[in-house]
Amino acid sequence: VVSEPDYTPPSGSAVIALDVRIGDGSPLASVRINGALSERFTLDTGGGGTLLIFDSFARKHPEALVDKRGGSGRDMIFNGIGGAIETRPYQLSSVQLGPINFQDFVGYRVMNARSYDGDDDGVIGTDFLRLFTLGLDYANSRVYLVPNRDGRLAMGIK
């Protein structure tokens, strides 16, 4: 942990800088799912899974939740503070976070609205974030993603 005046953001062509909003101490990022924009996805270094989609997003953008028939058979059981979380997998044509656009990405729709109360639209969890070294610059409302070996492989970066 580096204090704010001494923090130097990472640099280089592979660094991805995300503008975020800090909500309840967690960074909220903008995400596009099949073109539908949400500004309320929490980047959660302690949250399981890759991409969890909450009821608030599903209600606002039902047209975005189209399974390309690759989601079925990829069922996952997630556990939260209250126990097991029922989800439905969707293979999504496009999931965009900043300049990163993942195609045919599998995300998980949380089926019980009570599993995640509040205004957030979803969570980007550890299974996605593990592809990067994260730089958290809360003072400037920015998160830096630096692809690690697995991330470079997933993104086709040499």
Side-chain angles (χ1 to χ4, degrees):
V1 175
V2 177
S3 63
E4 186 265 319
D6 299 324
Y7 181 74
T8 303
S11 60
S13 61
V15 175
I16 300 160
L18 299 176
D19 291 322
V20 296
R21 289 148 313 283
I22 307 301
D24 296 329
S26 296
L28 296 170
S30 295
V31 173
R32 285 188 186 274
I33 298 175
N34 290 335
L37 174 64
S38 167
E39 297 177 331
R40 302 202 52 85
F41 268 77
T42 301
L43 298 174
D44 188 352
T45 59
T50 54
L51 178 75
L52 294 178
I53 302 164
F54 298 164
D55 189 59
S56 60
F57 180 85
R59 280 185 284 111
K60 289 183 274 191
H61 302 287
E63 76 287 355
L65 295 179
V66 176
D67 182 19
K68 290 181 64 177
R69 298 182 184 233
S72 62
R74 296 181 186 199
D75 294 328
M76 297 276 295
I77 296 174
F78 296 97
N79 289 299
I81 294 171
I85 299 169
E86 180 186 354
T87 63
R88 178 176 298 146
Y90 285 84
Q91 183 172 352
L92 304 162
S93 293
S94 173
V95 174
Q96 187 173 356
L97 173 64
I100 309 168
N101 187 18
F102 289 97
Q103 297 179 351
D104 297 330
F105 191 86
V106 177
Y108 293 86
R109 160 88 161 88
V110 175
M111 299 310 294
N112 186 341
R114 291 186 310 257
S115 293
Y116 286 96
D117 293 333
D119 297 336
D120 293 352
D121 286 339
V123 166
I124 297 169
T126 55
D127 288 347
F128 176 85
L129 295 174
R130 71 174 175 74
L131 300 174
F132 304 93
T133 300
L134 270 65
L136 304 173
D137 185 357
Y138 279 39
N140 294 300
S141 297
R142 191 160 278 175
V143 171
Y144 296 93
L145 303 175
V146 182
N148 58 29
R149 183 183 57 81
D150 292 338
R152 288 191 305 274
L153 182 65
M155 295 170 58
I157 300 171
K158 296 187 187 250

